[in-house]
Amino acid sequence: MANKPSIPKGMRDFSQQEMAERNYIFDTIKSVFRLYGYSQIETPSMENLSTLLGKYGDEGDKLLFRVLNSGDPFTGVDFEGFRTEDGSYNAARLSKELCDKGLRYDLTVPFARYVVQHQNEISFPFKRFQIQPVWRADRPQKGRYREFCQCDVDVIGSKSQLNELELVQIVDKVFGLLDIRVALKINNRKVLTGLAEICGAPDKVVDITVAIDKLDKIGLDAVLDEIRGKGLSGSAIAVVEQILGLSGTVEEKLASMRSLFGGASASGIVSENGLRGLDELDELFGLIAAAGVSVPVDLDLSLARGLNYYTGAIFEVKALDWQIGSICGGGRYDNLTGIFGLPDMSGVGISFGADRIYDVLKGLDKFPADLRSATTLLFANMGAEEVRYVLPVASALRGLGVSVEIYPESSKLKKQFDYADRKAIPFLSITGADEAAAGTVQIKNLATGGQSSFAKDDLEGILAFLQIKK
């Protein structure tokens, strides 16, 4: 009995229509990346696990898809040595024994590996973009998939915050072209480090940032409970609550934070890391104001971004008119290439979540209507002689960049009309023996019902009727 065809949860097929819509997103994003001087690279789907592990935190490591070693990976493995006290197996240790490769979790860590591996072949600062799928062993749900595509843009080899500004401008341009209203939130990981320091718990910076990054999802009380569960004192909890409660303009929030990091908090501790982060934010928001960016940009002190490699500015973009998680995010990473043997190479980048952007455009019905078909003109098949007659016309139009099909069988016209309708082909040519004898072709606009006849070699007239400019 044949198996019912299916695909794993969290994976998707894409139809012709969906691919046309996805390519609209990719092409729009690529066009903006290129405007700012970024060039495209690609990296393999699989990386060595040693490249991936430890770069995303414990939670990220759990979401890595591991690939079994080739051949028989189980031969010679002492499974009893991986048993725990309760008789089960230590899955993390065992997987390291059985797997030395994994599917990439994102595009930034492979990019850092690429830079180190090819450092003698590239010029710095190095500006690249990359549009490829990534994989995460996550629980599938609305807007969250196990396989999804990222559109990353990064510059490495420069500490200038002009690069951060450029990313903000790219966000502004991309979502303007896609006609999606968004809000951009910015914070700085040095500010989060400073927060932990004035709490008197610098060793708890990861626990604090992981907790406050959930503020939008679980609320303030639950965030404070989670931090309290990590052993922070009551005064430290009060400092976190005070900072997360700050409101006002960017300038007002920066001023309040500067006071707290300067020793005005309950602990009286001064945080030089926090003050440096505020200086960077002050500079960046000044550049954004000078550049005249139109997208709303705000300082969000709860923004943490869950990846361990960020060291400076961090970004997150959310759609204003459609309920979904962040559709774009990134930040500065000063130490990532150092893990691979190339220290002191600062970089900053941002990633556009193409799949979530797709969901927003679909939900808001913002895809252009002319994406419905890849074909502009269908020649009906009226018989063998008629097909031979229209073949040169079809070839000439294709030479001018017009997408043309000839229906393959000489079927009833209703069937050929139905084919054009299903594929949303806007123009149909019914050129029969009479037209061939007269040296003409007849073309019908299926949307308006209007039709015209043209001399076989009147390509300019045909292009005008098809509403195509040479």
Side-chain angles (χ1 to χ4, degrees):
M1 189 173 178
N3 290 329
K4 183 179 179 180
S6 64
I7 56 176
K9 290 183 178 179
M11 311 286 185
R12 293 159 297 160
D13 291 321
F14 297 109
S15 68
Q16 293 169 310
Q17 177 64 28
E18 289 168 329
M19 281 309 305
E21 293 165 343
R22 285 169 65 83
N23 283 329
Y24 166 70
I25 296 172
F26 298 145
D27 292 344
T28 301
I29 292 173
K30 284 180 184 179
S31 70
V32 178
F33 288 169
R34 291 191 174 108
L35 278 179
Y36 288 83
Y38 292 82
S39 300
Q40 188 171 13
I41 68 166
E42 289 193 350
T43 58
S45 301
M46 279 193 298
E47 295 275 354
N48 292 324
L49 269 181
S50 58
T51 297
L52 303 173
L53 287 171
K55 312 305 188 301
Y56 310 105
D58 292 339
E59 291 301 313
D61 284 353
K62 293 176 184 177
L63 299 181
L64 288 172
F65 272 111
R66 291 161 167 81
V67 179
L68 278 175
N69 296 336
S70 301
D72 184 358
F74 306 104
T75 300
V77 177
D78 178 16
F79 286 94
E80 292 304 313
F82 293 94
R83 285 198 182 274
T84 61
E85 291 182 359
D86 64 4
S88 62
Y89 290 104
N90 185 318
R93 285 183 55 230
L94 184 56
S95 70
K96 288 183 181 180
E97 181 75 17
L98 299 174
C99 310
D100 59 19
K101 296 178 287 294
L103 296 179
R104 58 172 174 250
Y105 178 94
D106 73 350
L107 299 177
T108 306
V109 169
F111 170 57
R113 187 269 309 153
Y114 176 95
V115 168
V116 175
Q117 191 171 342
H118 299 274
Q119 58 186 287
N120 295 324
E121 306 162 22
I122 56 182
S123 299
F124 295 101
F126 180 48
K127 302 174 77 170
R128 85 82 171 88
F129 74 87
Q130 197 169 342
I131 298 179
Q132 289 184 274
V134 299
W135 294 267
R136 297 181 186 178
D138 211 343
R139 183 173 65 86
Q141 53 186 291
K142 183 180 180 181
R144 187 181 296 272
Y145 309 103
R146 286 176 172 164
E147 179 185 52
F148 55 96
C149 194
Q150 287 187 336
C151 306
D152 278 21
V153 59
D154 291 77
V155 54
I156 196 163
S158 169
K159 294 183 178 181
S160 170
Q161 288 210 96
L162 286 173
N163 299 311
E164 275 87 340
L165 170 64
E166 204 165 82
L167 296 180
V168 171
Q169 292 174 304
I170 287 172
V171 166
D172 190 21
K173 184 71 171 176
V174 165
F175 290 110
L177 290 173
L178 293 175
D179 193 24
I180 297 176
R181 293 197 318 121
V182 298
L184 171 60
K185 298 179 179 181
I186 300 178
N187 199 5
N188 191 296
R189 286 301 287 255
K190 294 183 182 71
V191 170
L192 296 169
T193 299
L195 170 57
E197 289 174 350
I198 66 173
C199 284
D203 58 324
K204 299 287 188 180
V205 62
V206 173
D207 292 331
I208 293 172
T209 55
V210 167
I212 69 174
D213 199 38
K214 303 174 184 176
L215 182 64
D216 286 346
K217 296 178 181 177
I218 64 177
L220 179 59
D221 290 341
V223 167
L224 297 178
D225 286 343
E226 184 170 327
I227 295 173
R228 191 176 290 111
K230 299 297 183 180
L232 269 74
S233 66
S235 60
I237 299 297
V239 171
V240 173
E241 185 173 13
Q242 180 182 11
I243 289 175
L244 294 183
L246 289 177
S247 60
T249 65
V250 170
E251 292 77 12
E252 289 169 343
K253 285 188 274 192
L254 287 174
S256 297
M257 292 294 294
R258 197 173 293 281
S259 175
L260 291 171
F261 286 154
S265 70
S267 68
I269 296 172
V270 174
S271 171
E272 296 297 335
N273 279 316
L275 290 170
R276 279 195 296 272
L278 294 176
D279 289 341
E280 291 177 7
L281 285 170
D282 193 37
E283 179 188 359
L284 177 55
F285 277 98
L287 289 170
I288 291 170
V293 171
S294 60
V295 65
V297 184
D298 194 17
L299 170 60
D300 185 347
L301 297 168
S302 71
L303 178 61
R305 300 290 299 170
L307 302 179
N308 283 350
Y309 53 67
Y310 291 130
T311 57
I314 46 180
F315 310 93
E316 189 166 89
V317 179
K318 290 196 174 180
L320 295 176
D321 300 319
W322 191 257
Q323 188 65 36
I324 200 169
S326 64
I327 58 177
C328 183
R332 178 166 287 277
Y333 42 89
D334 284 342
N335 307 318
L336 195 58
T337 56
I339 299 170
F340 301 116
L342 184 62
D344 303 321
M345 184 67 71
S346 184
V348 63
I350 201 163
S351 178
F352 290 79
D355 296 279
R356 288 188 175 184
I357 292 172
Y358 179 93
D359 290 344
V360 173
L361 287 170
K362 201 71 173 175
L364 297 175
D365 194 23
K366 293 268 181 135
F367 282 111
D370 58 6
L371 295 179
R372 293 187 61 210
S373 177
T375 303
T376 299
L377 172 63
L378 172 68
F379 280 97
N381 190 323
M382 305 300 290
E385 290 298 323
E386 289 82 354
V387 165
R388 279 191 283 271
Y389 173 77
V390 300
L391 276 172
V393 185
S395 295
L397 289 171
R398 288 175 183 138
L400 294 172
V402 182
S403 177
V404 176
E405 286 187 57
I406 300 175
Y407 196 79
E409 283 88 30
S410 179
S411 305
K412 292 182 178 179
L413 271 178
K414 182 181 184 307
K415 185 175 182 180
Q416 300 187 53
F417 266 99
D418 289 344
Y419 176 81
D421 183 59
R422 287 195 304 273
K423 291 194 66 176
I425 299 173
F427 296 94
L428 175 67
S429 173
I430 304 175
T431 298
D434 291 344
E435 287 78 16
T440 62
V441 292
Q442 181 176 265
I443 301 177
K444 184 182 183 70
N445 184 323
L446 295 179
T448 66
Q451 63 183 35
S452 291
S453 291
F454 302 90
K456 184 179 180 180
D457 57 357
D458 183 12
L459 298 179
E460 288 192 8
I462 294 173
L463 289 176
F465 189 77
L466 299 178
Q467 302 167 28
I468 295 173
K469 297 180 179 179
K470 287 181 65 176

